[in-house]
Amino acid sequence: MRKRFIAGAICRHCQAKDTLALWKESGVEVVECVKCGDQMREADKQVQSAVRKDEQIIGVFTPE
Ligand SMILES: [Zn+2]
């Protein structure tokens, strides 16, 4: 599944920047920090703010 990175987004857990990947899983937006593995789901308000505010996507990768 393709994942997109969110520009300027900061991980709430490890405070790393530009490490949040976004993808859809069963129609639900999931954001995961590729550095510490912290996950947020669409239901979480933090996803809304992270995604809506920083809609600019800086990259796409396809995991093996
Ligand atoms: Zn993190």
Side-chain angles (χ1 to χ4, degrees):
M1 186 172 295
R2 288 157 69 93
K3 300 182 182 182
R4 295 171 296 165
F5 282 98
I6 305 165
I10 295 172
C11 175
R12 62 175 179 177
H13 187 75
C14 70
Q15 315 300 318
K17 202 177 175 190
D18 297 339
T19 60
L20 297 186
L22 166 73
W23 72 96
K24 277 210 169 182
E25 194 177 279
S26 307
V28 178
E29 282 179 334
V30 181
V31 175
E32 182 183 79
C33 175
V34 297
K35 191 175 176 190
C36 72
D38 189 50
Q39 271 198 8
M40 292 179 279
R41 301 202 165 244
E42 196 176 38
D44 196 326
K45 267 192 173 173
Q46 206 132 4
V47 174
Q48 302 281 345
S49 55
V51 174
R52 299 302 160 226
K53 193 169 59 160
D54 302 303
E55 199 109 15
Q56 181 193 0
I57 303 298
I58 56 173
V60 174
F61 74 91
T62 307
E64 301 160 29

